[in-house]
Amino acid sequence: MTAKNNIIDGKAFAASLREQVGMLVPAFLEKTGRAPGLAVVLVGDDPASQVYVGSKIKMTRALGMESFEHRLPADTAQEDLNVLVEKLNADDAVDGILVQLPLPDHLDQQEVIDLIDPDKDVDGLTPTSTGRLALGIEGLVPCTPLGSLKLLKDHLGDLSGKDAVVIGRSILVGKPMAQLLLGENCTVTLAHSRTQNLPDVVRRADIVVAAVGRAEMVKGDWLKDGAVVIDVGINRLDPEPGKERGRLVGDVAFAEAAHASAITPVPGGVGPMTIACLLRNTLVAAHRRAGLPDPEGI
Ligand code: GUN
């Protein structure tokens, strides 16, 4: 087997999830008289964030959902950002609020997140959403781990009893990923920068989720035969001579992973799932806010 023929095609899965979400929009519109609405807030001009936010807005509109775009200057005051979030909380046309991270250094990220109405927290980052996830009760779950879990379940079916190692303990990915896998009855290890003997820890895993943001850190000989690998990292290498931009690679040395049962590529693996799950979460939040049952099959 080569790493090429056992790729988990996140791009195709995400396209199909977006299509399913899009097909449910007209019924919501008919029942409520309005389309589900997503507000995206971007502070400053970080180039990567600009690209992500642009894609989120485009794809929201492509599904017939309402997109509310708020681009604020890099020197926006905390109070002004807080006031905007409060306004979005009070706006009935807004079902989901996403404040793109990272925020410029002078802003307190947690303070803003804490203000978001948990019912509109399509990023799943508020203390209420985090608590609901930990308790295993209904809430909204962060998009990247949710997308990763969908890919894992699609590939493996039941995850019960699997040994899962998550590398990275961020609030956006590592911590919620560990909770989701625990909820699927995996035996979960949450590894991080202080973990001792990381290669041996990873060698135990049936499921590896790498979310550290370090190019090709996880080597092929860290992966046991037949492991399923979800690579959340998106890292740009230095450009090769004569090239303007370096290649995008994940946190896993992809070419060394031929003995894995399956692996997500970078790009085209987890990345597209994040936006698809954001749209999914927006549709789910809209249904719950309207007192409708959760849409099925997504
Ligand atoms: N920055 C990178 N990924 C994300 C995400 O999923 N949500 C938010 N809010 N910011 C991000």
Side-chain angles (χ1 to χ4, degrees), residues 52-74:
Y52 292 143
V53 163
S55 303
K56 286 169 185 173
I57 291 166
K58 206 171 95 193
M59 291 191 183
T60 305
R61 293 190 173 138
L63 297 193
M65 302 211 249
E66 198 72 59
S67 171
F68 306 97
E69 187 178 345
H70 295 271
R71 292 178 190 259
L72 306 180

Side-chain angles (χ1 to χ4, degrees), residues 122-124 140-143 146 276-286:
V122 285
D123 239 354
L140 292 162
V141 173
C143 305
L146 180 61
C277 286
L278 174 67
L279 302 170
R280 179 254 176 220
N281 278 355
T282 302
L283 186 72
V284 169

Side-chain angles (χ1 to χ4, degrees), residues 22 24 67 69 73 103 123 135 141 164 166 176 191 243 292:
L24 294 165
S67 171
E69 187 178 345
L103 289 170
D123 239 354
L135 290 168
V141 173
V166 179
K243 295 265 170 68
L292 297 168

Side-chain angles (χ1 to χ4, degrees), residues 98-101 123 172:
L98 179 135
V99 178
Q100 185 68 26
L101 304 176
D123 239 354
L172 269 173

